[in-house]
């Protein structure tokens, strides 16, 4: 097992990708702390962790709330004695409009706060626990929407996910000397839950065809295909990788 005795904390773990990531990390031997703003979403994830006979804990956590973030990191270390892996997964376009004229200031604030500020707050609170042990793995969720202009989501999402890449690089530079790796993944479209199914269904047939035709592998991604890269980044197999963003998009964007 690649992550035996490791302790991982995931934000937004009740969502489509988050729960898949939690299962994949647990499958490799990690104790997984699942956090989410939604108790109901966490309950769904718990069912799957029970079925997988995983070692896990759950905490309700709004990643935009600095005090809650700090308390949750501390509670994790209190329970498991350490924090090895932080997976900043909470995010998405959060049901905000895509068209420029429909985007209100509150939509911009919500998307930037959850995706970008939340990632920053979690990194800031986790890093001291990692520095104390001179090791850590931070994995941030960017998106193809932050790498290139994507039709599926709007400007706030693009700005937030582009920001996550910049944050990843800058933090990697700052904490590399403490044995902490900081990397990001940029998934293409993953059919990982209701949010994605709704976004996909909002597209016209020609738009869907355009996207599928632009993917050399000719299909959308499964959540498991994203999770295998997260496991790689969480493990020592990626020991010399930091400040990178890995595109997992079937070849839709090659950069
Ligand atoms: N699914 C895709 O195709 C895709 C593609 C690229 C990037 N991503 C990114 O992957 C991540 C997960 O996406 P998903 O498809 O699983 O989304 P999802 O909507 O299924 O899950 C997101 C989870 O985040 C939680 N959340 C929302 N606001 C929060 C907050 N303030 N604090 C804590 N939790 C909060 C939600 O309750 C939900 O459980 C997101 O960052 C998303 O932008 C997804």
């Amino acid at each position: 097992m690649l992550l035996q005795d490791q302790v991982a904390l995931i934000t937004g773990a009740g969502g489509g990708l988050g729960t898949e990531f939690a299962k994949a990390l647990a499958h490799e031997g990690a104790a997984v702390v699942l956090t989410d703003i939604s108790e109901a979403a966490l309950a769904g994830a718990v069912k799957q962790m029970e079925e997988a006979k995983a070692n896990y804990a759950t905490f309700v956590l709004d990643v935009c709330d600095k005090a809650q973030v700090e308390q949750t990191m501390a509670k994790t270390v209190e329970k498991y004695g350490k924090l090895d892996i932080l997976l900043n997964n909470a995010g998405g376009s959060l049901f905000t409009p895509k068209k420029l004229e429909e985007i209100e200031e509150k939509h911009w604030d919500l998307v930037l706060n959850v995706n970008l500020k939340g990632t920053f707050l979690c990194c800031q609170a986790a890093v001291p626990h990692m520095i104390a042990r001179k090791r850590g793995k931070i994995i941030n969720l960017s998106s193809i929407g932050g790498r290139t202009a994507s039709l599926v989501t709007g400007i706030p999402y693009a700005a937030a996910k582009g920001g996550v890449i910049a944050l990843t690089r800058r933090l990697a530079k700052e904490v590399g000397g403490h044995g902490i790796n900081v990397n990001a993944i940029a998934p293409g479209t993953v059919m990982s839950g209701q949010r994605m199914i709704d976004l996909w269904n909002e597209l016209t047939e020609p738009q869907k065809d355009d996207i599928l035709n632009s993917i050399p592998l000719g299909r959308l991604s499964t959540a498991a295909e994203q999770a295998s890269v997260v496991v790689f980044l969480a493990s020592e197999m990626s020991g010399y990788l930091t400040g990178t963003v890995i595109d997992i998009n079937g070849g839709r964007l090659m950069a």
Side-chain angles (χ1 to χ4, degrees):
M1 288 206 264
L2 289 171
L3 305 174
Q4 193 71 53
D5 301 324
Q6 302 295 293
V7 178
L9 185 144
I10 308 181
T11 65
L17 277 177
T19 304
E20 196 68 29
F21 293 154
K23 287 192 293 182
L25 296 175
H27 184 72
E28 291 297 333
V32 183
V33 177
L34 293 90
T35 71
D36 201 290
I37 195 172
S38 158
E39 239 177 310
L42 273 180
V46 160
K47 202 162 166 275
Q48 297 193 42
M49 296 302 276
E50 286 289 333
E51 281 165 12
K53 299 191 179 357
N55 180 7
Y56 73 94
T58 60
F59 296 115
V60 172
L61 169 65
D62 175 356
V63 294
C64 303
D65 183 326
K66 184 175 161 71
Q68 259 187 49
V69 167
E70 286 172 351
Q71 282 159 16
T72 305
M73 300 297 166
K75 282 191 277 185
T76 297
V77 173
E78 200 180 307
K79 182 170 173 61
Y80 289 110
K82 59 179 185 158
L83 174 63
D84 299 295
I85 300 155
L86 169 66
L87 177 51
N88 284 307
N89 167 74
S93 49
L94 305 167
F95 308 101
T96 56
K98 276 187 291 187
K99 287 190 180 153
L100 181 62
E101 63 274 20
E102 292 171 10
I103 298 167
E104 296 174 35
E105 195 178 346
K106 66 179 182 193
H107 300 135
W108 172 271
D109 289 345
L110 175 66
V111 173
L112 270 288
N113 279 343
V114 178
N115 288 276
L116 188 53
K117 179 181 162 183
T119 297
F120 167 70
L121 290 177
C122 289
C123 290
Q124 195 180 41
V127 159
H129 298 292
M130 294 175 169
I131 287 179
R133 300 186 57 252
K134 291 234 156 283
R135 73 177 309 280
K137 301 276 190 180
I138 297 176
I139 305 153
N140 296 327
L141 262 289
S142 181
S143 165
I144 193 166
R147 295 278 282 151
T148 184
S150 159
L151 272 182
V152 182
T153 50
I155 289 170
Y157 185 79
K161 293 306 196 186
V164 166
I165 294 171
L167 181 159
T168 299
R169 292 178 177 148
R170 177 61 180 78
L171 181 63
K173 202 147 189 147
E174 189 159 341
V175 299
H178 296 286
I180 302 171
N181 305 64
V182 189
N183 292 292
I185 63 167
T189 307
V190 193
M191 280 299 126
S192 55
Q194 198 54 46
R195 183 182 72 87
M196 285 314 300
I197 293 166
D198 292 344
L199 282 174
W200 183 251
N201 288 340
E202 276 173 25
L203 298 177
T204 62
E205 288 309 315
Q207 283 174 330
K208 289 180 190 171
D209 286 344
D210 273 357
I211 291 175
L212 289 175
N213 291 335
S214 71
I215 302 173
L217 292 181
R219 60 178 176 82
L220 303 179
S221 166
T222 65
E225 286 167 330
Q226 304 294 323
S228 60
V229 181
V230 165
V231 167
F232 165 71
L233 288 175
S235 77
E236 282 316 310
M237 289 175 75
S238 58
Y240 200 58
L241 215 60
T242 200
T244 60
V245 47
I246 301 186
D247 292 308
I248 319 171
N249 59 33
R252 187 169 153 212
L253 171 79
M254 300 183 191

